[in-house]
Amino acid sequence: MRCKWSEDNDKASLVQCQEILEANLPAIKALDGFQSVNRVVCGGCKDFKIIVTLDAEKYGDWENSSFAPESVILDALAAVDGVSSIETQTFTFMEM
């Protein structure tokens, strides 16, 4: 999940993005096949990213559950004043 945050009001939208992530961490960590969750913040391009990694063989099950709790997080981010360009993306990681 990725969105843009604003520097307005002393970066209040960034603070709220972090709070949304923290509120949903238990549900993310409870995912079957969970490996890790990472948060990326870029101060230059104003990106806030949540990256969830799980076992590849469990991906289909997560997809069948509509990637829960993704919709809860996306709805919460959409309600934050100063957050824009909310997107999701599927990709793989490979350590080299």
Side-chain angles (χ1 to χ4, degrees):
M1 292 165 266
R2 178 175 79 183
C3 65
K4 299 287 187 183
W5 54 274
S6 167
E7 289 194 15
D8 295 346
N9 299 317
D10 200 26
K11 302 177 186 176
S13 61
L14 176 59
V15 171
Q16 291 178 19
C17 289
Q18 179 66 30
E19 290 170 350
I20 291 165
L21 170 57
E22 290 173 2
N24 286 279
L25 274 177
I28 293 170
K29 290 181 176 184
L31 292 169
D32 190 22
F34 173 81
Q35 288 185 359
S36 67
V37 61
N38 293 279
R39 187 225 51 201
V40 178
V41 173
C42 178
C45 66
K46 309 297 185 269
D47 268 351
F48 180 90
K49 299 178 184 181
I50 301 170
I51 302 170
V52 177
T53 306
L54 62 142
D55 298 330
E57 60 271 2
K58 297 296 183 176
Y59 179 82
D61 293 339
W62 191 34
E63 182 178 35
N64 290 336
S65 73
S66 300
F67 301 107
E70 182 180 76
S71 65
V72 172
I73 296 169
L74 296 175
D75 289 346
L77 291 171
V80 175
D81 193 33
V83 168
S84 62
S85 301
I86 301 168
E87 302 174 337
T88 62
Q89 181 180 18
T90 301
F91 53 91
T92 62
F93 279 115
M94 179 183 285
E95 190 169 326
M96 304 297 286

